[in-house]
Amino acid sequence: MVTVALDTNVVVALVDDRDTWHATAVTIRDALIEAQTQLVYFDCVFNETIGVIGRRTAEQKRPEQFDHLLDSLTTMMPPEGISWIGGSAQPWFQEIIRLCRANHGTLNFHDALIALACQELGVRFLASFDPDFDNIPWLTRIHEPGQIATLA
């Protein structure tokens, strides 16, 4: 079975129907499910998503929507469905910093942690709208629904 991790920007787009990438994210997720891929949700993505939806709802003057978005997130990513990698940050710290340096900071700490977790877990695909992941040799970034037919 093909395994695909989801990046924060895809998860945010899935839970917030006002997100620019919402329709594309839904199409990608539905195509991944139809292709019977295993979706991987990391704890750091959950963490970042809460921050993004909190900041976004405040900035867009729609704080009353935060609880609804958080409910959507916890439905999509219940605790038992999360891959808990945060504890790996300490033993992987030097490698995370190396990846950040190699990418001149365009790959942030959480992105480098995600990339290393994918490598460690044998996850070759990442659904993300962030092109900085294209520089990670062991990952193939999925950002268009048409790419899913070629997964193997």
Side-chain angles (χ1 to χ4, degrees):
M1 174 181 284
V2 174
T3 305
V4 180
L6 276 71
D7 190 19
T8 303
N9 50 42
V10 173
V11 173
V12 168
L14 287 170
V15 300
D16 186 0
D17 62 5
R18 291 179 57 180
D19 189 277
T20 302
W21 294 103
H22 177 74
T24 304
V26 168
T27 304
I28 288 171
R29 182 211 47 212
D30 292 350
L32 289 169
I33 291 169
E34 185 176 319
Q36 298 181 340
T37 60
Q38 178 181 355
L39 301 181
V40 176
Y41 302 100
F42 293 125
D43 58 334
C44 60
V45 168
F46 188 91
N47 173 332
E48 285 185 319
T49 300
I50 290 174
V52 170
I53 63 175
R55 184 175 55 254
R56 180 178 290 180
T57 55
E59 289 172 356
Q60 295 177 354
K61 308 225 183 306
R62 54 185 181 121
E64 71 285 352
Q65 293 182 4
F66 177 78
D67 284 346
H68 169 72
L69 297 176
L70 185 57
D71 289 344
S72 295
L73 175 63
T74 56
T75 298
M76 182 183 358
M77 295 175 68
E80 63 275 8
I82 294 174
S83 293
W84 299 92
I85 62 168
S88 298
Q90 185 176 8
W92 295 348
F93 184 81
Q94 292 304 324
E95 187 61 14
I96 290 168
I97 297 303
R98 188 196 66 73
L99 275 177
C100 292
R101 284 185 198 279
N103 289 277
H104 307 289
T106 59
L107 205 66
N108 68 35
F109 191 92
H110 273 169
D111 290 346
L113 177 60
I114 289 168
L116 290 172
C118 286
Q119 184 179 43
E120 181 74 18
L121 297 171
V123 176
R124 297 182 356 232
F125 301 100
L126 176 70
S128 178
F129 301 121
D130 183 351
D132 296 324
F133 283 106
D134 294 341
N135 297 323
I136 305 300
W138 58 86
L139 279 178
T140 299
R141 181 174 65 98
I142 298 168
H143 56 96
E144 296 176 354
Q147 295 174 278
I148 295 163
T150 65
L151 299 183

